[in-house]
Amino acid sequence: MKNSDLRCYHCPELFVRFKLALMAAQAEQQDIAFMLKGDDLQGISDIKRYLTKQKLAFTVTSTAEQLIITVERETRV
């Protein structure tokens, strides 16, 4: 599984880096986990909306300081 730490980015750069990392993980056929700041509501909602629209399976795990979105490799819902 690949990891992508996006906590230091804000929209729109956050979303661009998310898409680049997702495409790289899909090309390598790997799962990927994105670490985001829990208070970046716009970035989180953009990412969730994109994943839902692309029909990709993902899970969201919340901790006190961050949010982790895990995307399964090419698993469509």
Side-chain angles (χ1 to χ4, degrees), residues 19-37:
K19 284 183 69 176
L20 290 172
L22 179 62
M23 286 189 285
Q26 288 176 329
E28 297 171 8
Q29 296 183 354
Q30 290 188 341
D31 294 347
I32 186 165
F34 296 98
M35 291 163 278
L36 306 161
K37 285 192 281 185

Side-chain angles (χ1 to χ4, degrees), residues 4-45:
S4 182
D5 188 353
L6 302 176
R7 292 177 289 185
C8 62
Y9 301 107
H10 302 283
C11 275
E13 186 178 7
L14 168 71
F15 190 71
V16 172
R17 290 192 180 262
F18 155 76
K19 284 183 69 176
L20 290 172
L22 179 62
M23 286 189 285
Q26 288 176 329
E28 297 171 8
Q29 296 183 354
Q30 290 188 341
D31 294 347
I32 186 165
F34 296 98
M35 291 163 278
L36 306 161
K37 285 192 281 185
D39 62 351
D40 189 356
L41 300 179
Q42 180 62 46
I44 293 166
S45 66

